[in-house]
Amino acid sequence: MSEEPGGQEPAASVPSEEELRRITAYIYRWTGMIFGESKRYYIERRLAHRIAKTNMPDVRAYLALLAGSAVEREQLVNAFTVNETYFYREEHQFAALSAQILPQVIANKRPGDLVRIWSMPCSTGDEAYSIAIWLLENWPLVDAYNVEIVGSDVDTAAIEQAKAGRYAPRALARLPATVIASYFEAERNHRRKIIDDLRESVRFVPANLFDRSTLPSLGKFDIILCRNMLIYFDDESRRIAADNLFDCLHPGGFLLLGHSESMARITDRFTMVRLDDAIVYRRP
């Protein structure tokens, strides 16, 4: 989860029921994410943070600002985004990627051809860099193909953190010491930075899976990792996301979801594939 904004919440920032409804409706319209009554404290904290940052006197004034400012809409979305991630999360899927998925992807390609992998949402870059590291360590053919890894997220602040490639020890806890030594440089306060060669090999761009207009410039992919995102959507949002994921895949391409997510109740457009290490979905 994202860190809580610091400081005390000002009394004027506590929204009425109608103001709360408007804020959550905006977030849903822009991102597809649902925030119900159980998340009230979470909503109020992040709303109070944005009100303080914009020097608005109360929620009513902030809503007026929000209605006319694309910049503030972006900042509000950033404030509500959940960024729980770390390196080698759900490692079994990376094992499936190198052992079973990529061999099928390259079956109809020649050495030197492009293999495109998309990490969405990429948050602060942990997953996208994990893909690059895993392939360098575990896929013998990594240098035989032109592998392009793209990370994208609706949270533009997280995208900037991903580009910087700096991480605290907690994010690296699952990485072997040899991997940390090979791909990270030591910095102050026990933090680490991705080495330049690796950082420059992964491209990060903002994109919103719920907004089709942000996706065409990304092109199509052979493999998409969209893990632990659909759990924040309602049924309608999931269908929109599923259709957009389908359209972003090449025919025969693979989609990897989080361990608690499934396409079975969302759409029948994908074919479920049972691998040794994971259940994945494929565009026919």
Side-chain angles (χ1 to χ4, degrees):
M1 192 73 69
S2 302
E3 294 182 0
E4 291 284 355
Q8 293 296 313
E9 177 185 321
S13 72
V14 178
S16 67
E17 292 297 327
E18 174 59 19
E19 289 166 340
L20 186 72
R21 185 198 65 77
R22 287 181 64 186
I23 288 293
T24 55
Y26 281 143
I27 295 296
Y28 177 74
R29 185 191 309 166
W30 297 329
T31 71
M33 292 188 294
I34 292 288
F35 290 93
E37 179 61 31
S38 64
K39 297 289 187 180
R40 187 184 185 103
Y41 177 73
Y42 179 92
I43 298 165
E44 291 180 350
R45 289 286 290 174
R46 280 149 179 76
L47 179 58
H49 177 65
R50 291 311 311 160
I51 290 173
K53 285 288 187 181
T54 53
N55 295 314
M56 291 293 103
D58 53 30
V59 180
R60 182 177 179 180
Y62 179 75
L63 284 167
L65 170 68
L66 195 63
S69 172
V71 171
E72 185 52 34
R73 288 198 291 272
E74 178 181 299
Q75 292 302 316
L76 184 67
V77 168
N78 290 355
F80 273 76
T81 303
V82 178
N83 290 318
E84 172 62 33
T85 186
Y86 47 84
F87 282 79
Y88 277 18
R89 187 180 190 184
E90 298 188 32
E91 185 177 325
H92 64 283
Q93 289 195 339
F94 295 124
L97 179 65
S98 57
Q100 294 184 275
I101 295 173
L102 278 166
Q104 294 185 60
V105 167
I106 64 171
N108 296 317
K109 296 180 182 287
R110 295 177 297 179
D113 282 353
L114 185 62
V115 175
R116 303 193 75 227
I117 304 174
W118 187 23
S119 170
M120 155 59 89
C122 69
S123 185
T124 51
D126 311 45
E127 179 176 274
Y129 289 129
S130 289
I131 296 167
I133 293 170
W134 182 272
L135 296 186
L136 287 167
E137 291 289 303
N138 297 282
W139 192 39
L141 296 177
V142 65
D143 291 325
Y145 293 86
N146 181 12
V147 179
E148 180 184 4
I149 300 172
V150 178
S152 58
D153 201 286
V154 70
D155 186 338
T156 54
I159 287 289
E160 292 306 309
Q161 291 181 55
K163 290 178 180 178
R166 288 185 164 90
Y167 298 96
R170 180 178 177 273
L172 310 180
R174 291 176 178 260
L175 292 179
T178 54
V179 167
I180 294 175
S182 296
Y183 300 103
F184 294 83
E185 299 172 349
E187 294 194 319
R188 298 176 62 184
N189 299 322
H190 305 289
R191 294 178 68 83
R192 296 270 182 166
K193 181 183 178 182
I194 293 276
I195 60 173
D196 288 345
D197 283 351
L198 185 60
R199 186 167 54 86
E200 293 168 2
S201 71
V202 180
R203 181 164 66 96
F204 291 101
V205 293
N208 184 350
L209 187 58
F210 194 65
D211 182 356
R212 182 180 288 268
S213 68
T214 69
L215 303 178
S217 62
L218 297 175
K220 291 187 179 290
F221 295 88
D222 299 291
I223 300 164
I224 299 176
L225 286 82
C226 182
R227 308 191 298 176
N228 307 304
M229 180 179 180
L230 299 181
I231 55 176
Y232 298 102
F233 288 0
D234 66 0
D235 289 344
E236 182 179 356
S237 298
R238 291 187 186 107
R239 285 192 291 271
I240 292 171
D243 285 342
N244 289 341
L245 288 167
F246 186 91
D247 292 340
C248 286
L249 276 174
H250 287 300
F254 288 86
L255 171 65
L256 285 67
L257 301 179
H259 71 277
S260 63
E261 298 170 318
S262 170
M263 279 292 169
R265 296 183 180 180
I266 303 174
T267 180
D268 60 2
R269 300 184 75 186
F270 293 91
T271 300
M272 187 177 72
V273 180
R274 294 182 181 273
L275 304 176
D276 293 342
D277 294 299
I279 293 176
V280 299
Y281 298 87
R282 193 169 193 180
R283 173 173 174 168

